[in-house]
Structure formats: structure tokens, C-alpha cells
Amino acid sequence: MQQHLERGRRVLPAVPEGLKTPRARLAWRPPWHEAARLLAGMAALNGWSGLLRRLRITEDDALRLAARANANGTELLDELYVAGVLPEDALYRTLAAEIGLRFEPAVQPRTLILRDAELRMLLARPRGQLHVRTDAGGLSRVLLSSTTLNPGQAHRRFADRAELVSRLRLVAPGTLRAALLHLARRLLLGEALRGLFASRPEFSARQGATSWQGLMLGLLLVGAPVAYALAPRATTWSAFAVITTVFLMCVGLRLAALREAGPANPRLPALANARSLPVYTILVALHSEAEVIDDLFRALARIVWPRSKLEIKFVCEADDALTLAAIARQRLRPWMEIIQVPPCEPRTKPKALAYALPAVGGEFVALYDAEDRPHPMQLLEAWHRFHEGDDRLACVQAPLVVANAAAGALPRMFRMEYALHFNAILPWLSRRGLCFPLGGTSNHFRRRALVGIGSWDPYNVTEDADLGTRFARFGYRCETIACPTLEDAPDEVRVWLCQRTRWFKGWIQTWFVHMRRPARLYRELGPGSFIAVQVMFAGMIASALAHPVLLASVVHLGTKLTLTGALDRGDAALLTLALINMALGYGSFLVLGFRSLDKPDRRGFWKNAALTPAYWLLMSIAALRACWQICWWPHYWEKTPHKRHAVPDAPARSPHTRFRRPSRPSRPAASRVSCR
């Protein structure tokens, strides 16, 4: 990681990590400092001298801020605001005094005069200029919040307009945002819980299986034992035929991806003109994550993107006191915001995200989990992919890499499973334009497309799988990118089992939702994506449930062969079929996993081979738990607890350091993206 960051500083005008304080960051001289001095000086002479004197900002600091604003295509006040030189209230109190307005230190949400449509519009705006009417004690006022004001121009505008000045109040952006979010609680919660179900009930998991799906499931559960009692041999062969078909579907997908599989070999994304970059929003859904908040803030601090064009939203349950207290102990920068979700059922991650989405202003939205350490250049690579693609590209998925594989057997197997999934299967599906389930984190969305399909389903416990399918049904496509995200896998069986149960339960939900009308699904997806949905959801669940049946058959028939010395023709055929299925299943899993791992990670691969049968049995137990929960607690979210990162990322082996040389930039260095 450190090696890549040092390399990144050589190709980007980034603020060195050693400069921690706002004043020190301003004092740092970028390579283009002297060239920008003349241009920045024009801004300093155009109405800013009075405010800068009040703030006691030196000429050099002001010139650097102006140069940064010029490079990023933003306003000087916005750069001054995100620099954090002064607390927000102090900055805007001084600004109010400079332009001749009264400063409003607090806003009572109940005094704001807004319709629901206006409230939605204001919440969805990025930082800029907002006007809100308020009525307190019968006195009508207008609250003004802005990061685009020019103090000199504003002073001249208000100088001879005493009546307007008497009605205007300047308020800090964070203060007004907090009041708007408080006022919108019921509106946002209602839309989060009922929005998708009200507009597109056929895509909502709020209701379970349809009548015909329930009938077919009931017939299967009742008919199978009856059929076995009446015709055991025919029923056994029919069951083995179904199991073989399911296994061959999964094996076929792995073998198809095997030809193009290989370790991730990403490139650093090309540098970009910072002026052309849009506002980017990062959503981080948090629940009972107090232990990893310090790690999370360190990971987010390394992301390369202009801070004046960045929003980071921490989405927390309002009654999660420990997590909120841990965030409060951090120094929240002006581009960061806490969105508190009113506690109610279902307590799921997609409900929290659906609540927060109307309150983001970014053109693109990235989703991370609390334990994630995204590659610093991941946002830049995602933006390049969106910029090069068309409007039908709705989402790009970054690969997930397990960083704590040395912590035990479960993380070791998890690393291989993630490698074959994110380095082989998903890229293979993506290159062919086929539907694939997204990962639960490191998704980068085009916000317009995400809103267009109805946002997250609050009742689906694997919202990522559902979104990938829904995007495809609406004619959008998803692709994969290369900059990875490091995360730690569970190292305890209990924690792993709860997480995998939730995944399986969500895949069952997703399959039932989208198979409510199979013919329509086939028409909307096409044959290739339709088959992919069957394999990725029904196939994976069915194979996990079938694995113990095959294993028990091998043990039973093998024991019978050992004791009697012979098997009849039917039993011999069943034993052969079971062995072939298991050999193909294990073999394709291991070969694809081996091909997808980096060479250093292949050391001791015999351990993966030895652990595979036990690992698959654990998946079978998780699948059985998921089937039980889907009947009794379909919307119950089993939380995966996360620990502090006990295993550091080795610099020589971290995926954050294995990158080819970046593409040559097409812009002069002065216009490249800055990470400030």
C-alpha cells in the first residue's frame, strides 16, 4: 500500500500524508504553484481581500486556495470551506459580517416552509447555494446557505437593499442540511419502506412466493416422500438426474470461465482533468461498527478525488449509540455527513441505503462497508469507465480481496472463493454482456439509473444480487473494474455461518422475486442472462443442498461395497454418478480457484484442496439454515461483526501495489486530479 501511495504522489499533485493540519495542507506548495499564482491573484483582488483579512489567511495561502479552485473548476469559497481552516460556524459567521448579513447559528426544522417536492430537491443538491423560507414567531425570513458566494459581489449586491438584508440570514451549510434531514425523516422513511413496493410491487421481496410458486413448492415437499414410498428406485434416479443437472450447470460456468481466468492484473487508471470530474458520493452503511471506525476513516482518507467534489455519507441507525459515538470522536470534515435512519423494521442494510439515497448529490454513488479498504484510485477508474461507456452502463463492480487469509482456514478458503468469483466468473459474464449478481460492496452506480429502477429493496437481504438482475431487466448493464477493495473475511465458524446464511437466503428471495413470471423474465433478459440467473441463484443453492446427499450416497454405497464385496448394477451406477459429480464439482472449484489466485497466494494450495469437502459441508449447513429462515424470518438481517484489522497488508503482496504503469495523461500536469 505504502509503495503505491508513494508512486501516486509522483504522478498526482496530492497533499503529502505528513501534512495533517489544515494550515499545513495550505502551506504545501504543489508543482504548479508558481504558474497558478498570477491567475489566483486575480481572484484575490476581486472582492476577497476583506474576508481573507478577517480570517487571517496569508496571501500565499489564499493564492494556493485560488489555484486549487481553478484546477478543480470550483469556487474559492468551496475550497476554503472544505480546507477546514476554520470551524464551519466561525467561517460563515465571518462571511456574514463581511457581506453585511446576519448569521443564523441554529435552524429549527419545524420553522422551515417547504413542500415535499421542494424538500426532495434541496436534499438531492450537491453543495452550492440554497434558499429556504422560514417562519419563526410570525416573522418570515429567508435562510441562505452557499459555498459559491463571492464576498465582494455579495456585499455590493446587498449594500443598498436594506429590506432584503433584513429578511436574509446566512446559515452554515452543515446546519441547514441537518435541519433538512430532520424535517425529512418521515418522508424518507416512507419512501424507503414503500417506494419500490408501491411503484413496482413485482420486484419487491416484501411479499414472498406467489400462489403458483407456493403450490409447486408444496407439491415437491409432499410429493417427493410419497413418490419415494411408492417407487423408490425411480424416485432416486429422478433425484440424481436433477442433482447431476444442477452440478453440471455450476461446473459448466466454472469451466467456461476457466479459459480466461487468471490473477488480477490491473492498470492504474489514466489521470484526469479535475475540472471535468463530477460530484461523487460515497455511502457507508454502518451498524454496530464502533470497533472499526478508526480503520474506516484511515481508508477513506486515502481515496483520490477532489474534496470539493466529494460527499461521504455515514448511514447509521439512530439508536446505534456506540457507532455514532465512535464517529463523533473522529474529526468530521466538511464533505462528511452522518445520516441517521429512524429505527424500524426491517432492520436491513438496503433499507438504510434506500433512506439515504434521496439525500445524496453526487452524479455517481459508491457503496462501501465498514471494514473495506478501497484502492485509492478506485473512484477514478470507475469514473473513467462511466465516462467511456454510454448511459446504459448503470454500475461497475470492483473486485474484493481477502486480506487476512493467514488468519485461519476459513479466511484462506474465502480468499480463493473471492478470487474465482471476482477474477474469473464475474469478468467472464461482464465481457459477454450477461447479467451477474453484484458484490455487496464496492459498487459504483450511476445515480440516475439507480433511482430509475426503484433503488434498493428494503426487504431483500442480499440487495446486491437483486440490483444486478433488476438492472438487466430494465435494459442496463453492469461491468467490472480492476482496482480492488481489501476486506477481512470471518475467521470464526459461527460468524461465517450467519453471513453465508444471509447470502443464501437473499439468493432464494431474489430467485423467487424474479421468477414470479418466468416467461417475462426470459423476454427481458434474453437466453444467456436467463441461464446465468438460474445458475448463479437456483444452481448455487441447489448444489449446496445436494452436496450432502451426494456425500451420504458415496459413504453409504462405499460402505456397502466394502462389506459385501459387490454392488448390483443400479447401485454401482449411482455410486459412479455420485463420484463423477463430486469430482467435477471439487475439481472445477479448485482448478478455477488456483488459476484466479496470484502466484504468492498459491503457496500451500494443497490445504485448500484438503479443506474443500469440509468447506462445502459448511455451505450446505448455511443453505439449510437459509431455507428455514426464509419460511420464518425472511427479512431478518444476521449482522456480520467486524474486528479491527489485525493482519497488516504486506506491501510486497498487497493487491494495492500490483499495478502496471499508468497511461500517459492527455492533459498538462496543472489540470490533473488532486486528492485534496
Side-chain angles (χ1 to χ4, degrees):
M1 169 68 76
Q2 187 63 31
Q3 175 184 340
H4 171 69
L5 289 176
E6 293 299 333
R7 182 180 183 182
R9 292 189 188 110
R10 292 198 296 272
V11 298
L12 292 174
V15 178
E17 287 293 321
L19 303 183
K20 298 298 184 183
T21 66
R23 292 283 182 185
R25 286 176 176 270
L26 285 180
W28 174 71
R29 292 173 178 262
W32 32 264
H33 169 75
E34 295 302 330
R37 179 182 289 272
L38 218 52
L39 179 62
M42 296 175 59
L45 293 174
N46 187 22
W48 284 92
S49 55
L51 178 64
L52 296 176
R53 281 196 302 272
R54 286 176 182 266
L55 296 175
R56 299 182 180 179
I57 293 179
T58 66
E59 180 185 357
D60 279 352
D61 287 346
L63 291 172
R64 293 182 190 106
L65 282 171
R68 191 181 303 170
N70 178 66
N72 292 335
T74 55
E75 300 295 333
L76 181 57
L77 180 58
D78 202 0
E79 295 295 340
L80 181 61
Y81 174 67
V82 301
V85 178
L86 287 176
E88 185 182 52
D89 279 2
L91 172 62
Y92 277 84
R93 189 183 299 275
T94 306
L95 176 62
E98 173 65 21
I99 64 179
L101 294 180
R102 290 185 61 183
F103 176 71
E104 192 71 36
V107 177
Q108 295 297 325
R110 65 177 182 272
T111 66
L112 300 180
I113 305 173
L114 289 169
R115 300 185 181 91
D116 287 349
E118 295 171 331
L119 187 54
R120 291 191 194 94
M121 178 188 68
L122 292 176
L123 286 174
R125 281 187 182 178
R127 285 189 303 269
Q129 185 160 306
L130 301 179
H131 298 84
V132 181
R133 286 198 307 130
T134 180
D135 187 355
L139 297 176
S140 179
R141 299 283 187 264
V142 176
L143 301 180
L144 171 63
S145 170
S146 177
T147 57
T148 61
L149 281 177
N150 180 298
Q153 295 175 0
H155 180 77
R156 289 191 295 271
R157 184 185 307 167
F158 299 136
D160 299 323
R161 306 181 69 179
E163 182 180 353
L164 176 62
V165 169
S166 67
R167 296 181 58 229
L168 278 178
R169 299 291 184 271
L170 188 66
V171 61
T175 303
L176 183 56
R177 282 279 303 181
L180 293 174
L181 283 171
H182 188 275
L183 184 64
R185 286 180 304 168
R186 289 188 178 181
L187 175 65
L188 296 180
L189 187 60
E191 291 183 350
L193 293 175
R194 296 181 290 274
L196 180 64
F197 183 75
S199 61
R200 299 180 178 90
E202 68 274 18
F203 295 126
S204 173
R206 180 176 177 178
Q207 293 180 336
T210 61
S211 55
W212 77 266
Q213 289 174 333
L215 176 62
M216 296 301 294
L217 186 60
L219 289 175
L220 177 63
L221 294 176
V222 175
V226 173
Y228 185 79
L230 298 176
R233 177 68 68 175
T235 304
T236 301
W237 273 103
S238 299
F240 264 76
V242 172
I243 290 173
T244 300
T245 302
V246 169
F247 261 70
L248 288 179
M249 288 169 59
C250 298
V251 168
L253 177 60
R254 296 189 193 112
L255 293 179
L258 181 61
R259 182 178 179 182
E260 303 172 13
N265 191 20
R267 292 178 179 271
L268 278 172
L271 303 182
N273 182 348
R275 297 179 68 89
S276 66
L277 296 179
V279 175
Y280 218 116
T281 299
I282 294 175
L283 287 178
V284 187
L286 302 171
H287 182 62
S288 300
E289 302 287 8
E291 189 172 351
V292 297
I293 291 299
D294 292 344
D295 295 329
L296 172 64
F297 271 72
R298 280 193 292 270
L300 294 176
R302 292 192 287 264
I303 289 178
V304 175
W305 198 264
R307 291 328 191 226
S308 53
K309 294 185 174 182
L310 182 67
E311 298 179 344
I312 298 179
K313 312 289 186 183
F314 301 103
V315 187
C316 306
E317 297 279 347
D319 60 352
D320 189 0
L322 292 178
T323 302
L324 290 171
I327 297 175
R329 287 193 293 269
Q330 302 291 326
R331 180 168 177 255
L332 283 184
R333 303 303 297 271
W335 58 84
M336 298 176 175
E337 181 178 61
I338 301 173
I339 297 180
Q340 297 190 32
V341 183
C344 70
E345 296 297 332
R347 293 210 172 203
T348 62
K349 174 182 172 182
K351 183 206 71 176
L353 295 174
Y355 179 93
L357 185 61
V360 306
E363 182 180 345
F364 301 102
V365 178
L367 175 62
Y368 292 122
D369 285 342
E371 77 277 17
D372 288 349
R373 287 96 82 194
H375 190 280
M377 306 291 257
Q378 193 178 109
L379 265 62
L380 191 59
E381 185 187 8
W383 176 80
H384 273 295
R385 185 64 62 87
F386 282 119
H387 186 64
E388 294 165 359
D390 55 28
D391 289 342
R392 307 313 295 175
L393 177 58
C395 177
V396 295
Q397 171 70 57
L400 305 181
V401 178
V402 170
N404 66 329
L410 281 175
R412 182 184 185 90
M413 294 301 296
F414 220 131
R415 177 180 62 185
M416 185 183 73
E417 193 178 9
Y418 263 15
L420 71 86
H421 187 70
F422 289 102
N423 294 346
I425 291 177
L426 293 194
W428 186 86
L429 293 170
S430 173
R431 283 191 289 268
R432 283 151 184 82
L434 299 178
C435 169
F436 63 84
L438 302 173
T441 178
S442 301
N443 317 131
H444 298 257
F445 299 102
R446 193 185 300 273
R447 189 182 64 157
R448 184 172 63 253
L450 182 59
V451 173
I453 67 166
S455 179
W456 289 277
D457 181 1
Y459 296 95
N460 191 313
V461 296
T462 50
E463 72 292 340
D464 45 357
D466 171 57
L467 277 184
T469 308
R470 203 161 2 124
F471 274 132
R473 296 190 68 172
F474 277 79
Y476 292 102
R477 71 181 187 280
C478 301
E479 296 181 0
T480 58
I481 56 176
C483 287
T485 294
L486 303 182
E487 66 176 32
D488 291 343
D491 56 4
E492 299 176 13
V493 173
R494 177 185 57 82
V495 176
W496 182 96
L497 199 59
C498 291
Q499 183 189 65
R500 192 57 59 103
T501 297
R502 174 167 52 82
W503 291 4
F504 280 152
K505 181 170 66 174
W507 294 353
I508 296 171
Q509 282 182 315
T510 300
W511 189 81
F512 272 108
V513 165
H514 292 283
M515 284 293 288
R516 285 169 176 168
R517 298 175 63 182
R520 177 182 171 185
L521 179 67
Y522 182 86
R523 289 194 305 271
E524 292 175 347
L525 293 183
S529 289
F530 182 83
I531 294 173
V533 167
Q534 307 310 312
V535 175
M536 296 299 292
F537 300 138
M540 294 299 178
I541 292 291
S543 62
L545 294 173
H547 175 249
V549 177
L550 291 177
L551 198 59
S553 299
V554 170
V555 172
H556 170 69
L557 295 175
T559 303
K560 184 177 179 181
L561 176 62
T562 302
L563 294 177
T564 63
L567 292 175
D568 60 37
R569 184 177 300 176
D571 286 346
L574 286 176
L575 178 59
T576 302
L577 190 58
L579 288 172
I580 290 174
N581 277 327
M582 293 181 64
L584 288 175
Y586 291 162
S588 61
F589 179 75
L590 289 169
V591 172
L592 186 60
F594 183 83
R595 287 284 299 272
S596 303
L597 286 170
D598 293 298
K599 287 185 178 180
D601 296 333
R602 295 174 182 173
R603 295 170 187 160
F605 191 78
W606 64 269
K607 297 178 183 178
N608 296 75
L611 290 168
T612 294
Y615 191 69
W616 280 33
L617 274 178
L618 281 178
M619 286 198 282
S620 299
I621 296 172
L624 288 170
R625 291 184 79 240
C627 292
W628 175 262
Q629 286 193 11
I630 200 71
C631 297
W632 302 105
W633 306 293
H635 308 131
Y636 170 60
W637 183 279
E638 285 195 281
K639 175 74 178 68
T640 304
H642 300 117
K643 304 176 183 178
R644 293 181 65 89
H645 307 319
V647 181
D649 307 328
R653 296 180 56 186
S654 170
H656 286 185
T657 65
R658 293 192 295 267
F659 277 86
R660 303 181 202 170
R661 182 175 299 175
S663 305
R664 178 172 296 179
S666 58
R667 302 276 184 178
S671 65
R672 297 176 193 167
V673 60
S674 165
C675 75
R676 295 182 305 281

